[in-house]
Amino acid sequence: DVEDLTVLPDGCGWLICEFGGEDADEASAKADRLVQALKRRGRDARLVRDRDQQQRIWRVREAGLPATAYIPGWRETHEGWEDAAVRREDLGRYLRDFKALMGRYGYDSAVYGHFGDGLIHCRINFDLASEAGLKTWTAFLSDAADLVVRYGGSLSGEHGDGQSKAELLEKMYGPELIEAQRAFKAIWDPDGRMNPGKVVDPYPIASNLREGPGYRPIEVKGAFDYPDDGHSFTQAMKRCVGVGSCRRNDSDKGVMCPSYMATLEEKHSTRGRARLLFEMVSGETITEGFASRAVEEALDLCLGCKGCRSDCPMHVDMARYKAEFRYRHYQGRMRPRAAWAMGRIRTWAELSRIAPWAANLVGQAPLVSGAAKALMGIAEARRIPRFAPRSFRTLDRSRPRRPGARGRVLLWPDTFNDYFRPATATAAVRVLEHMGFEVEVPRQRLCCGRPLYDWGWLDEARALWRRTLSTLRSDIEAGVPVVGLEPGCVSAFRDELPGLFPDDPLAKALSKQTFAFTEFIERSGAEPPAAHGEALVQIHCHHHAVLDPGAELRVLNGAGLSAHAIASGCCGMAGSFGFEAGKYAVSMAAAERALLPALRAAPSGTLILADGFSCREQIEQTSGRPTWHAAEILARGLDGAQR
């Protein structure tokens, strides 16, 4: 009803109205009338018909929780009065009274919510760390409950009452109804053992707080920097507010959280792990600190996919927390065999150059490979990847250098495309040179240390970065772009590098001038070679979480390929995770959610694209279908290859 617009308070930021379930013309006319009515009232209103723009606006609404939970320059905010509701006709007056009430108590909060239902969400800067703050907080809750009751509203319009509202329910329902609830409960639960302290005989609101005056956590600064959490690992452990977006069982709405989707166990969700880490730094329930086996067991099945970094509304980064935990957990302890076999893959790859045929014999020969897998902690069902006869850097030494009118670029020779799949890097050189760039490859053996993070080898990773920064100093200072082919490695430049060296200007510069292959092509504006055929694209998890996955499809489709991304979902290999003997079942369960069904449904002539080494191994080892990197697909165009 257009007349209901009068309930909107001054300064309202967004009013999002969705028209559905009606005749399209009728809905459009209604929307037009609403826009005109808003304009007559002096509002800047517009009707958005474009689907992409609509999705962007909805993302603004979905960002309400993280936007109000962590506000730069504000005191810490808390839930505690987050979903009261009144009749929507009363919303404007209620909001003004509620804002005035917060002002009287010295509180403030951004507000958002489901205004069409009269429901308001907010996180308020309560002081829960002092006894005086708790006294003020409980007095405010009492007055806020009185305000809602005066408007005939509900203390909990969307979520449950729980302990935070239980003591206030009598204000809303009256003593007679609460007494009836008490009598009913006594019949079925005479000893009060079922969910005690809620609704009837409630615990005091200020009891059993996560963080109260007695909260004295272990203060850990962290090996990584946490700029959005006061530069504190301890503070970062409070980032999860329990929304539970990680507890999804569908694979078409993001990557997070593949281990939960495979096991359906809370301790293997992002929320479950975050809760354990919070309890660890709190030191009450988990008293062993970083030595805790319970925390290690929960984190062990984290794939390090970084899906939570982008998909969680609070941007919890469990992969980073896992690396941070293991950095301390394994100090003075022996890491598992799989950590040495696969976390140190760069060392073994370099040693393989002595006799790659011998390394492959150990990994491939029927009589020997089983023993090798058992020794390295690799699942029997897995195939150990073959080392290439000659590494990419060895092959590249004989390449004639071609000057490029578009300037110099550095192609990063990551461990996987250097020692296992050099054809990918060779294809990338050809494409970049065709586009007019002078391609250089670092002659030194540099590495981003990606496999080290999962097992907490952070000192070693720092040492590798220092060598890279020293070796590439002149190129970094000259602003030469670095192009990476392995998404996991490019994400290390973007994420782990500035996290480990937050105050190093060289690290910041290198992070900003490093791009994934298709990101760089799109950014350059140069026209890539033509591509042909139908393609199914598996987007690497780190590509999804840290980089720009849209650039991959835009570049490929712009080149003439008909490319479609597989419905979001982790491939399940996740670096070395899927190779480990104890994790094979979880790896395959993750793959069966989206990847493998899509591969089985794809016609035999469809090209399968995957930039990530682990994704390619999972696809080839489970489906038998060959995979292509975006660089290889575009290089085919240089040869005139058709479908």
Side-chain angles (χ1 to χ4, degrees), residues 16-198:
I16 306 174
C17 301
E18 185 178 35
F19 297 93
E22 306 175 63
D23 176 82
D25 292 336
E26 181 182 347
S28 180
K30 180 183 290 187
D32 281 324
R33 291 197 300 273
L34 177 60
V35 168
Q36 295 307 314
L38 281 166
K39 287 182 176 179
R40 287 195 301 272
R41 295 167 190 269
R43 303 288 185 178
D44 178 16
R46 67 200 66 184
L47 182 59
V48 179
R49 299 182 186 275
D50 180 75
R51 288 290 180 184
D52 290 337
Q53 186 74 359
Q54 289 173 358
Q55 288 303 312
R56 291 177 64 189
I57 292 173
W58 275 117
R59 283 196 291 272
V60 171
R61 164 59 184 85
E62 291 166 359
L65 176 57
T68 55
Y70 290 91
I71 304 174
W74 277 36
R75 286 164 45 194
E76 185 177 3
T77 62
H78 300 275
E79 65 271 19
W81 189 262
E82 67 276 12
D83 71 329
V86 298
R87 295 188 310 159
R88 61 183 178 185
E89 293 82 0
D90 295 329
L91 181 59
R93 292 188 298 277
Y94 167 74
L95 269 175
R96 293 183 181 93
D97 288 345
F98 180 61
K99 285 277 192 177
L101 177 63
M102 285 196 293
R104 288 199 297 274
Y105 277 89
Y107 295 145
D108 200 357
S109 175
V111 296
Y112 66 101
H114 315 279
F115 282 13
D117 299 312
L119 190 147
I120 299 299
H121 289 310
C122 57
R123 285 178 61 95
I124 303 175
N125 53 349
F126 301 126
D127 170 20
L128 304 181
S130 68
E131 294 295 343
L134 289 188
K135 185 176 181 180
T136 302
W137 173 53
T138 54
F140 167 81
L141 293 180
S142 179
D143 286 348
D146 289 338
L147 176 63
V148 171
V149 171
R150 191 161 72 244
Y151 276 98
S154 170
L155 306 184
S156 302
E158 181 178 8
H159 306 298
D161 298 311
Q163 187 176 324
S164 66
K165 304 285 180 61
E167 199 175 13
L168 304 171
L169 292 179
E170 189 169 318
K171 289 176 176 287
M172 186 168 77
Y173 293 116
E176 185 177 0
L177 190 52
I178 293 297
E179 185 57 40
Q181 292 270 21
R182 180 179 288 106
F184 182 82
K185 181 176 175 63
I187 295 171
W188 302 99
D189 183 22
D191 297 326
R193 300 176 62 184
M194 298 171 64
N195 203 14
K198 315 291 171 58

Side-chain angles (χ1 to χ4, degrees), residues 191-247:
D191 297 326
R193 300 176 62 184
M194 298 171 64
N195 203 14
K198 315 291 171 58
V199 185
V200 298
D201 303 319
Y203 295 135
I205 291 175
S207 61
N208 302 320
L209 295 175
R210 276 184 75 183
E211 306 167 49
Y215 178 60
R216 298 289 185 273
I218 305 167
E219 189 54 50
V220 181
K221 184 178 184 299
F224 287 101
D225 187 36
Y226 298 89
D228 297 327
D229 298 290
H231 307 279
S232 164
F233 174 78
T234 300
Q235 187 70 12
M237 296 307 95
K238 295 159 61 175
R239 177 164 285 272
C240 174
V241 296
V243 173
S245 298
C246 49
R247 286 175 51 89

Side-chain angles (χ1 to χ4, degrees), residues 203-371:
Y203 295 135
I205 291 175
S207 61
N208 302 320
L209 295 175
R210 276 184 75 183
E211 306 167 49
Y215 178 60
R216 298 289 185 273
I218 305 167
E219 189 54 50
V220 181
K221 184 178 184 299
F224 287 101
D225 187 36
Y226 298 89
D228 297 327
D229 298 290
H231 307 279
S232 164
F233 174 78
T234 300
Q235 187 70 12
M237 296 307 95
K238 295 159 61 175
R239 177 164 285 272
C240 174
V241 296
V243 173
S245 298
C246 49
R247 286 175 51 89
R248 293 184 294 100
N249 198 25
D250 48 8
S251 56
D252 61 347
K253 293 182 180 177
V255 171
M256 178 182 71
C257 172
S259 55
Y260 174 77
M261 286 191 278
T263 66
L264 299 182
E265 291 192 29
E266 172 74 13
K267 74 174 182 178
H268 295 140
S269 69
T270 304
R271 183 176 72 176
R273 294 182 178 113
R275 181 66 187 182
L276 281 170
L277 286 166
F278 174 84
E279 294 293 347
M280 181 194 76
V281 298
S282 298
E284 294 183 6
T285 306
I286 297 176
T287 57
E288 307 92 337
F290 285 94
S292 171
R293 286 298 306 168
V295 177
E296 165 61 18
E297 288 172 7
L299 290 173
D300 189 43
L301 283 191
C302 168
L303 283 78
C305 68
K306 288 185 175 288
C308 49
R309 185 185 184 278
S310 58
D311 296 353
C312 169
M314 302 309 300
H315 306 297
V316 168
D317 189 348
M318 194 53 62
R320 177 171 290 195
Y321 304 165
K322 178 182 179 181
E324 190 84 62
F325 171 83
R326 282 184 160 176
Y327 173 60
R328 290 169 174 79
H329 181 77
Y330 282 113
Q331 288 179 3
R333 293 182 179 82
M334 180 62 72
R335 288 173 171 82
R337 288 168 295 162
W340 294 94
M342 292 173 279
R344 297 282 190 172
I345 185 62
R346 172 179 173 270
T347 301
W348 309 127
E350 290 178 355
L351 289 174
S352 76
R353 294 307 90 199
I354 299 172
W357 61 269
N360 288 332
L361 180 65
V362 171
Q364 309 296 324
L367 297 179
V368 192
S369 64

Side-chain angles (χ1 to χ4, degrees), residues 517-594:
F517 180 70
T518 48
E519 279 184 335
F520 177 75
I521 290 178
E522 184 175 58
R523 176 179 175 273
S524 73
E527 186 174 346
H532 305 279
E534 299 278 340
L536 202 57
V537 183
Q538 168 64 15
I539 299 293
H540 188 283
C541 292
H542 288 196
H543 205 153
H544 166 85
V546 181
L547 311 178
D548 180 8
E552 186 93 342
L553 296 176
R554 290 191 295 270
V555 167
L556 294 171
N557 285 308
L561 194 71
S562 179
H564 307 278
I566 295 174
S568 182
C570 179
C571 76
M573 190 65 89
S576 65
F577 181 94
F579 282 100
E580 295 180 47
K583 300 170 184 174
Y584 177 76
V586 173
S587 171
M588 293 305 297
E592 282 291 353
R593 298 207 55 79

